[in-house]
Amino acid sequence: MIVEKARLIAPYGGFLTNLLLSREQLAEQDAYAKSLPYVQISARVECDLELLAVGAFSPLTGFMNSGDFQSVLDTMRLSDGTLFPMPITLPVDAETDIKLGADIALRDRKNMILAIMTVEEKYEWDLEETAVKVFGKFDSRHPIIAEMHRWGKVNIAGKLKVLRLPTHLDFAELRRSPAETRAVLESYGHDNVVAFQTRNPLHRVHEALTKRAASNIDGVLLLHPVVGMTQPGDVDHYTRVRVYKTLIDNHYEEDRSLLSLLPLAMRMAGPREAVWHAIIRRNYGANHLIVGRDHAGPGPDSNGKPFYGPYDAQDMIVRCADELGVKPVPFTEMVYLEDEDRYEENSKLPNGAKVKKISGTQVREEYLGRGIQLPPWFSRPAVAEILAESYPPRHRRGICLWFTGLSGSGKSTTAEHIVNLLLEKGRNVTVLDGDIVRTHLSRGLGFSKEDRDTNIRRIGYVASEIVRHGGMVICAAISPYRATREDVRNMVGDGFMEIHMATSLEFVEAQDIKGLYAKARRGEIKDFTGIDDPYEPPLNPDFTLSAENTLAEDNARLVVSQLIRLGYVRPR
């Protein structure tokens, strides 16, 4: 990806909001907005609207029109040549009746009016083109690509009048606009500011890294965590902010560090996202940005390979640094020197140095997942206590076993055996079977692709709530489309296990107890999965089973054995 130099980006922009309206003026605008047709915006668009309004996306002043959108896809620049790598759009359903030149209201998910848009343009966008150009490949394992399948197929753009910002009830004292953040940073009296974000809690390695970065530039640290939307399965922002507050209050210099929250909806776009983060931090007053290994990477793709190289983001931001006005502060892996009780970059150590390190996977699986306290050389005791409270051992956490496969492949039968084995071991479980869900939760839906997707997402939503509250749930539905399953994976988060019942079409047709395949072959049933509607098998499932030559109870034992190994079930 090549970025040619254009003019320097504007360091920050003014507000789009008119938050100084009198009570009478606001009431008048609200009354007008209530009379308008409206679009109910998603959580992602809500985050974007807020950051547009306060100038965090400056020089961008609204949702992108077709010229800016296409230019950003192709060149990472707005149509006037300004560097801006991320498309910021407002997608709506193609069937939505929106007239050019007319005003519409933008309402949040609770129906609160946030803004009025004068619609100046409507344009179609292509899912695959957008995914390939922004993320590098069209792969539904990427959480945003999976989500994009349910975005509206038309983008709208036009002048915005923002009446109010989204309401945030949490950590209000830490939510500062760019102007407010710059004012606090300037009061510290230092020319340089280095920004840092992590989607993880701060451990001592991060503490050492951030303190060193601020010291190296003789400046101030802006600890600027994302509290909008991050990677599905990430530590929730309530826990992260509790950790950051504990550390900032007790282990950082008061006049050299500032904790402020950023309501950003991340895209997990690796190199492009790193440049975008630099632009945002420039608007908040930083002129340096710590860029870590695999910055804003989404994890493995459908084939288990990383989407981006570990240092692609660092390389990209280095090439753009002069134009951005933000210098990257790259750090390689840091490890703990046991004999010296300090952290150091691994690349600077002599051969044979005695070091310790714990990976993120080990934190989740070997420590928090098994109820083992993190060692004090790795995490401050207060931090370890917060994490232990928020993330109990796995046998007390929720998990979703998502069975997918052809009709008659053995999903429901295997699930029944698993339920009995789990109950024997003291773990309660809920079953969301496809046929039963269609009777009670999805009555009235047909079997078009849109209705099937709606049915699966309803199951996924219920499953995600069960998992969030520490329950175990088994979902047994055909769920034929890969992108929709990945969307459900993102709803559920870390406790999602995709189990592919890979029983062949020939085998299930030969069994065909209900006679459904025979009817489909005769044309009596239309759009039947495996016959005249496709089944997209998982490319990299967490578990693969088959009803061919294997008893359902044996398959169930394999699954429960895996749950025991992972710690979700305690052996009895």
Side-chain angles (χ1 to χ4, degrees):
M1 195 180 297
I2 299 174
V3 181
E4 297 177 355
K5 186 174 181 180
R7 64 184 177 83
L8 183 69
I9 65 165
Y12 39 78
F15 291 102
L16 293 176
T17 52
N18 195 352
L19 300 180
L20 299 179
L21 289 173
S22 68
R23 182 175 300 178
E24 292 76 15
Q25 289 172 321
L26 183 58
E28 182 180 340
Q29 290 292 327
D30 272 336
Y32 173 63
K34 288 176 183 176
S35 71
L36 297 174
Y38 67 90
V39 171
Q40 203 154 26
I41 61 177
S42 67
R44 183 171 300 281
V45 173
E46 193 176 313
C47 290
D48 290 347
L49 177 65
E50 178 172 359
L51 292 185
L52 282 169
V54 299
F57 289 169
S58 178
L60 197 64
T61 58
F63 295 104
M64 289 180 180
N65 59 30
S66 59
D68 283 335
F69 174 71
Q70 194 62 50
S71 181
V72 166
L73 292 190
D74 294 337
T75 69
M76 290 178 51
R77 298 184 179 281
L78 301 174
S79 55
D80 67 0
T82 304
L83 180 62
F84 200 95
M86 198 62 59
I88 306 297
T89 60
L90 176 47
V92 298
D93 292 334
E95 298 78 20
T96 305
D97 185 19
I98 297 176
K99 294 179 174 59
L100 293 179
D103 286 349
I104 62 169
L106 304 183
R107 296 175 180 252
D108 67 13
R109 291 160 292 164
K110 296 182 179 179
N111 223 29
M112 176 68 72
I113 295 171
L114 299 180
I116 298 170
M117 173 188 279
T118 302
V119 182
E120 298 168 352
E121 189 176 5
K122 296 163 57 178
Y123 61 96
E124 295 182 355
W125 63 282
D126 183 79
L127 170 61
E128 185 168 353
E129 178 195 17
T130 303
V132 169
K133 290 181 176 178
V134 175
F135 304 109
K137 66 177 74 173
F138 184 54
D139 186 328
S140 293
R141 192 61 176 265
H142 192 293
I144 309 304
I145 297 176
E147 181 187 314
M148 287 165 65
H149 280 80
R150 54 185 162 91
W151 291 4
K153 303 307 178 189
V154 171
N155 290 331
I156 58 174
K159 184 178 179 180
L160 284 173
K161 179 184 289 184
V162 180
L163 305 184
R164 57 179 57 81
L165 297 178
T167 301
H168 301 291
L169 302 179
D170 58 311
F171 305 116
E173 76 282 5
L174 299 176
R175 293 181 177 271
R176 300 179 181 88
S177 70
E180 292 167 337
T181 306
R182 294 193 304 269
V184 175
L185 292 171
E186 288 167 5
S187 72
Y188 289 169
H190 296 276
D191 292 334
N192 292 320
V193 176
V194 58
F196 177 69
Q197 76 169 65
T198 175
R199 293 163 21 231
N200 298 307
L202 282 185
H203 300 294
R204 288 189 63 184
V205 63
H206 302 109
E207 185 184 333
L209 183 156
T210 52
K211 288 178 176 178
R212 184 174 304 182
S215 175
N216 288 347
I217 64 167
D218 188 26
V220 177
L221 169 69
L222 171 60
L223 184 56
H224 210 207
V226 171
V227 295
M229 299 175 70
T230 61
Q231 172 92 331
D234 282 349
V235 173
D236 67 274
H237 81 266
Y238 296 96
T239 300
R240 286 186 285 118
V241 175
R242 287 171 62 203
V243 167
Y244 303 151
K245 282 172 60 67
T246 296
L247 291 175
I248 280 283
D249 291 346
N250 296 286
H251 300 287
Y252 283 84
E253 296 180 57
E254 186 175 352
D255 61 346
R256 288 271 189 165
S257 56
L258 176 66
L259 171 61
S260 193
L261 308 187
L262 179 66
L264 176 71
M266 292 182 67
R267 268 55 170 189
M268 314 311 301
R272 275 186 181 242
E273 182 124 357
V275 175
W276 188 39
H277 288 176
I279 292 171
I280 293 168
R281 273 34 185 251
R282 171 73 272 183
N283 290 327
Y284 277 87
N287 58 356
H288 293 75
L289 174 65
I290 297 173
V291 185
R293 188 178 185 275
D294 194 26
H295 186 96
D301 62 17
S302 294
N303 296 310
K305 298 179 180 178
F307 271 83
Y308 311 110
Y311 301 109
D312 287 356
Q314 291 184 4
D315 293 342
M316 171 68 78
I317 205 168
V318 165
R319 296 203 299 272
C320 299
D322 289 344
E323 186 173 1
L324 287 167
V326 176
K327 295 181 179 179
V329 181
F331 272 86
T332 58
E333 181 185 35
M334 294 189 73
V335 294
Y336 177 70
L337 291 170
E338 187 174 8
D339 293 337
E340 301 178 35
D341 189 27
R342 68 182 181 89
Y343 278 89
E344 184 55 86
E345 293 180 65
N346 202 20
S347 59
K348 296 182 179 180
L349 297 180
N351 292 332
K354 191 176 181 181
V355 302
K356 286 183 176 181
K357 62 180 180 178
I358 298 176
S359 69
T361 300
Q362 287 176 304
V363 169
R364 292 189 300 272
E365 296 182 2
E366 297 181 17
Y367 286 88
L368 297 179
R370 301 189 181 280
I372 300 173
Q373 190 88 345
L374 290 164
W377 64 264
F378 181 78
S379 278
R380 299 278 185 185
V383 170
E385 183 177 346
I386 290 171
L387 294 178
E389 290 173 353
S390 297
Y391 290 87
R394 275 188 167 172
H395 67 269
R396 290 170 48 204
R397 290 192 216 168
I399 184 172
C400 170
L401 306 183
W402 188 277
F403 280 84
T404 176
L406 295 169
S407 177
S409 60
K411 301 183 297 297
S412 298
T413 306
T414 305
E416 289 176 4
H417 286 282
I418 292 174
V419 168
N420 285 310
L421 290 174
L422 292 174
L423 290 172
E424 287 178 3
K425 296 184 179 298
R427 187 86 205 240
N428 291 323
V429 60
T430 299
V431 178
L432 298 177
D433 183 80
D435 291 337
I436 297 173
V437 166
R438 278 197 171 267
T439 300
H440 297 286
L441 186 64
S442 296
R443 182 186 294 275
L445 290 180
F447 289 89
S448 66
K449 185 180 188 306
E450 292 73 19
D451 281 0
R452 291 183 185 198
D453 283 347
T454 298
N455 178 54
I456 295 307
R457 289 192 178 105
R458 286 180 183 178
I459 298 173
Y461 172 75
V462 174
S464 70
E465 288 297 296
I466 292 171
V467 170
R468 188 166 68 89
H469 291 284
M472 179 175 283
V473 57
I474 301 176
C475 303
I478 295 171
S479 47
Y481 308 122
R482 197 173 293 135
T484 313
R485 294 195 303 268
E486 294 300 341
D487 203 15
V488 170
R489 179 189 292 272
N490 297 331
M491 286 185 202
V492 175
D494 193 41
F496 183 89
M497 179 184 290
E498 185 179 48
I499 303 173
H500 181 206
M501 289 301 301
T503 311
S504 68
L505 178 60
E506 293 76 17
F507 183 86
V508 297
E509 276 204 83
Q511 303 298 308
D512 199 14
I513 297 172
K514 299 178 182 179
L516 298 178
Y517 285 95
K519 289 182 180 180
R521 291 291 187 189
R522 294 194 300 266
E524 297 173 17
I525 300 177
K526 300 296 184 183
D527 301 323
F528 193 81
T529 301
I531 303 300
D532 57 348
D533 198 73
Y535 175 76
E536 300 171 359
L539 298 178
N540 193 21
D542 299 290
F543 220 84
T544 301
L545 302 171
S546 173
E548 300 176 55
N549 303 316
T550 307
L551 295 174
E553 50 264 42
D554 292 334
N555 279 330
R557 289 191 185 95
L558 289 173
V559 173
V560 173
S561 294
Q562 178 71 350
L563 293 174
I564 292 172
R565 283 195 293 273
L566 293 174
Y568 285 103
V569 176
R570 287 190 291 184
R572 299 290 182 182

